Amino acid sequence: VQLQASGGGLVQVGGSLRLSCTASGRHSNAYSLGWFRQAPGKEREFVGVRNRSGGSTYFADSVKGRFTISRDNANNTIYLQMNSLKPEDTAVYYCAAGLIKIGGLSPRYWGQGTLVTVSS
């Protein structure tokens, strides 16, 4: 499974940004797709995931109500819509494919990171 992420950049506090992640390869449809992020000096943390079956979404408390995930099934792509961005959202965001677990996603595959910088 290969994951191609894009859409990072520089945005001001309160602004919005949309990341995309396209999955390809054998069995890529078998996995749920989601996002993690890693801020400078911190561990990688779960952001959100969209269940491959049914379309339910789950988010970390820190982004609930501000981030959403949608999916384009035809292109096996998910989109992370980030609104009301805060400086603490600054991080490298990683797309991941894996299995749903309680509270998030157990990743099996990773995409390359895309940097999101929120300036104040």
Side-chain angles (χ1 to χ4, degrees), residues 62-68 81-86 89:
S62 59
V63 306
K64 277 181 184 176
R66 300 187 298 122
F67 290 12
T68 59
Q81 179 66 44
M82 304 183 292
N83 298 325
S84 302
L85 283 162
K86 306 175 181 180
D89 294 318

Side-chain angles (χ1 to χ4, degrees), residues 56-75:
S56 299
T57 54
Y58 309 93
F59 293 94
D61 288 343
S62 59
V63 306
K64 277 181 184 176
R66 300 187 298 122
F67 290 12
T68 59
I69 295 177
S70 59
R71 181 161 184 157
D72 177 352
N73 288 325
N75 294 305

Side-chain angles (χ1 to χ4, degrees), residues 31-36 44-52 56-61 63-64 69 96-108 110:
Y31 297 99
S32 294
L33 300 179
W35 296 90
F36 289 74
R44 193 172 298 189
E45 64 176 3
F46 169 75
V47 173
V49 61
R50 185 177 181 94
N51 195 328
R52 68 173 184 87
S56 299
T57 54
Y58 309 93
F59 293 94
D61 288 343
V63 306
K64 277 181 184 176
I69 295 177
L99 302 179
I100 294 286
K101 67 173 185 178
I102 295 175
L105 177 69
S106 180
R108 300 289 177 90
W110 294 98

